[in-house]
Amino acid sequence: GNSVTQMEGPVTLSEEAFLTINCTYTATGYPSLFWYVQYPGEGLQLLLKATKADDKGSNKGFEATYRKETTSFHLEKGSVQVSDSAVYFCALSTGNTDKLIFGTGTRLQVFP
Amino acid sequence: GAGVSQSPSNKVTEKGKDVELRCDPISGHTALYWYRQSLGQGLEFLIYFQGNSAPDKSGLPSDRFSAERTGGSVSTLTIQRTQQEDSAVYLCASTPDRVSGNTIYFGEGSWLTVV
């Protein structure tokens, strides 16, 4: 079946450090891939997405590239800020249902 | 309102009681989802409604869980005879149509605690 695997957290970084959160997927067909973010006390919101192979999603300095050959969609940011502290969820959807399958989430903690 | 609205935001109930959680999707959105987020767990898909089609109930964990969507808009998730393991945040989400890759908009969730 379809599934998403992402690295366990928490990930703890100092401000301005480079961030990578790994995400790999298993899916039949050609999924769309997403990163959602949940800031403390807030609801889930879309961070970025990519709908086909080799697409790069980007937003707020974050990037992720849809790699079909490695079935990956790793999240990266060149210089994190304290305000990036949140839980990040990798997700996929397939077919025409838009049913999102989520990973378990990775908590990022950024310290000054 | 502009976003997905859920109520109650917090609910504490005694084990064995029934609870109802409500979701108002974004106006005009045809698809509605319920997810569950347990402490330390990811988001677990529960049920999906799309227009007038039969709902996808494949994620409901037991027959104590049910959901309906009246008039293609508001949805109610009902948990009967609640158990402590039902304690979680229940998230509702909606999206405009069924085109794959559409952004899904989440509500802030209903935090359920079963004591």
Side-chain angles (χ1 to χ4, degrees):
Chain A
N2 300 328
S3 66
V4 174
T5 302
Q6 60 182 109
M7 63 190 290
E8 291 188 18
V11 173
T12 304
L13 294 173
S14 298
E15 209 165 23
E16 300 183 3
F18 184 87
L19 168 72
T20 300
I21 300 178
N22 289 339
C23 171
T24 57
Y25 67 89
T26 301
T28 53
Y30 302 97
S32 295
L33 302 173
F34 305 81
W35 278 99
Y36 277 78
V37 59
Q38 188 174 37
Y39 296 104
E42 298 184 17
L44 271 167
Q45 55 188 276
L46 178 69
L47 179 60
L48 54 84
K49 68 179 182 182
T51 57
K52 61 182 188 296
D54 300 324
D55 272 1
K56 177 185 285 187
S58 61
N59 186 26
K60 300 181 181 180
F62 291 88
E63 293 183 339
T65 301
Y66 188 147
R67 301 286 189 200
K68 188 170 183 292
E69 63 277 13
T70 54
T71 62
S72 65
F73 193 56
H74 304 321
L75 182 68
E76 297 182 334
K77 186 173 185 182
S79 177
V80 294
Q81 305 301 311
V82 172
S83 57
D84 294 326
S85 298
V87 181
Y88 293 81
F89 292 90
C90 187
L92 66 82
S93 69
T94 61
N96 61 354
T97 69
D98 283 318
K99 185 171 78 177
L100 278 175
I101 306 297
F102 284 90
T104 53
T106 302
R107 180 174 299 277
L108 171 65
Q109 298 174 320
V110 181
F111 293 96
Chain B
V4 177
S5 177
Q6 293 187 243
S7 61
S9 54
N10 283 284
K11 175 74 176 178
V12 180
T13 189
E14 292 182 352
K15 179 180 171 182
K17 300 282 190 183
D18 297 352
V19 296
E20 286 189 351
L21 307 176
R22 176 188 168 101
C23 173
D24 278 287
I26 294 172
S27 178
H29 282 193
T30 60
L32 184 149
Y33 311 76
W34 284 99
Y35 285 83
R36 177 167 71 175
Q37 185 178 18
S38 303
L39 189 64
Q41 304 292 318
L43 281 90
E44 177 187 7
F45 166 78
L46 298 178
I47 188 168
Y48 162 68
F49 297 89
Q50 173 57 268
N52 296 320
S53 302
D56 177 350
K57 304 179 182 181
S58 60
L60 294 178
S62 77
D63 59 7
R64 296 187 296 105
F65 288 73
S66 63
E68 61 179 25
R69 189 179 185 192
T70 54
S73 181
V74 172
S75 177
T76 302
L77 177 69
T78 301
I79 309 172
Q80 296 178 308
R81 304 180 304 280
T82 52
Q83 304 294 312
Q84 288 184 328
E85 61 263 28
D86 300 335
S87 297
V89 179
Y90 289 83
L91 295 169
C92 179
S94 69
T95 191
D97 57 44
R98 66 191 309 172
V99 174
S100 183
N102 244 333
T103 298
I104 293 180
Y105 298 87
F106 283 85
E108 294 194 2
S110 292
W111 191 292
L112 175 66
T113 304
V114 181
V115 297

